[in-house]
Structures are given as structure tokens and as C-alpha cells.
Amino acid sequence: MQSRTSAPRTGRPRSAAADAAILEATRAALVELGWSKLTLGDVATRAGVAKTTLYRRWAGKNELVVDAVAVLFDELELPDRGSLAADIEGVVLQFAAILGRPEAKTALMAVIAESTRDEPLRERIRTSIVDRQKRLVLEGRARATARGELPPESDPAAAARTADLIFDVVAGAVVHRTLVSAEPADEEWVRSFTRVLLLGLTGATEQA
């Protein structure tokens, strides 16, 4: 009988430092060159790695740029500020601050524009950015439930739909405010937005 044991891997292990340098170089190149002029060769030069290193990790520019954006949003954390309203305000201010960075703004707008004609790219955005950041909604609802601010969720399917909706509302509002309207998502705006969001959450809870 043939052994099912996997053969040992060959070659150098993947370097986290090289990955970080590549993603940082990608964001810098996007700001300076724009999407159309960005090449993997230019990114490799900026990062100080061989072009083959990029191709071993990413199939092409689309995947590379999405990952360069995704790590920025991985910086988001849900602060524990004592109440659901304060927690929401804290994470929304973080989100707006990230979107205000030139490298985040340029990269996100570029991949969104390209994804309108590239379904695999849309799927990568969903899995690498959207789905990963829904953790913040789940964490916030769990914390608010533990505080007694929201009731426990008995229907997992309904809870998942609500989490999706909350994420869409928050992300859509902040992206539109900062990138489309080009208006500041300052503390006053964030407080007003949070009040509207909480009214919706309270109403949905009462109807349920």
C-alpha cells in the first residue's frame, strides 16, 4: 500500500519580514504610480526581493493589492470603552483614520474599481477583507449581550444576517463619507452615526 504521508517541503520557508516589506512596497507604489502603472517588478525592486519571490506568493497584481489593503484593516480593534455606543464610536474612528491614509485610500479605491469587472477579485475582497473584519461585529454584539445592552441571540441564522447588515451599514457609511463624499468622519459625525445605528439595532431587537 502506498504511503499517504506527505513529502517534506523543500526550499526556503516563507519570510514574514519579506511579506511585510512586499505589502508595504505595494502600497507605496500605488500611491506614487497608480493602479495602471503598478507592476510586480517595481514592487520587487522597492521591497528588495526577487520578482520570483512575489510570484511564489501571489498569482498577480490583483491578489497582491488586496492583501496589501487587508493587512491595514487587520489593525482594527474593538476597544472596550464601557458601553456599546462608546465601543462603536471607537472602532468607527479607527476605521475612518485608516481610510484617511493615502495608501489605504488609493489601494481600496483601485481594487474596488477593478473588481467591477473581475469576479475572482470580488471574491478575494470578500474573503480577505470583508469576512475577516466581520469579527468586529460579532465581538461587539457578544460584549453588548454580556453587559445586558442587547438580548441573547437564539437564532444563529438570524444573528448571522444581522451581523452582515450591521457590517454593511458601518462599512458603507464610513467608506462613502470618507472616500466618496470626501467629508471628515470626525467625532461629531461618528457620534451622530452611532446614534442612528443604535436606534436601528434597538428597533430590530424589539421587533424580534
Side-chain angles (χ1 to χ4, degrees), residues 132-149:
R132 276 183 7 203
Q133 298 314 319
K134 284 181 182 176
R135 64 185 169 83
L136 298 167
V137 175
L138 300 176
E139 183 183 346
R141 285 186 65 85
R143 186 184 293 168
T145 300
R147 290 184 183 131
E149 295 174 289

Side-chain angles (χ1 to χ4, degrees), residues 150 196-208:
L150 293 174
V196 172
L197 180 63
L198 289 177
L199 284 172
L201 280 172
T202 303
T205 300
E206 290 175 349
Q207 289 176 12

Side-chain angles (χ1 to χ4, degrees), residues 56-138:
R56 282 198 299 267
R57 290 160 164 76
W58 293 277
K61 181 166 72 173
N62 290 356
E63 293 82 0
L64 175 60
V65 173
V66 170
D67 285 2
V69 178
V71 297
L72 294 179
F73 294 122
D74 285 343
E75 297 174 10
L76 286 168
E77 295 181 353
L78 184 69
D80 189 346
R81 300 172 69 177
S83 71
L84 178 57
D87 291 355
I88 292 172
E89 289 175 11
V91 76
V92 170
L93 284 168
Q94 287 180 53
F95 184 32
I98 290 174
L99 290 177
R101 291 156 61 173
E103 65 271 26
K105 183 187 307 182
T106 303
L108 185 61
M109 295 293 276
V111 295
I112 290 174
E114 286 297 312
S115 72
T116 60
R117 51 181 177 271
D118 187 334
E119 176 56 35
L121 179 57
R122 282 199 295 273
E123 180 59 28
R124 192 173 183 92
I125 291 171
R126 280 192 292 268
T127 58
S128 297
I129 300 176
V130 175
D131 290 346
R132 276 183 7 203
Q133 298 314 319
K134 284 181 182 176
R135 64 185 169 83
L136 298 167
V137 175
L138 300 176

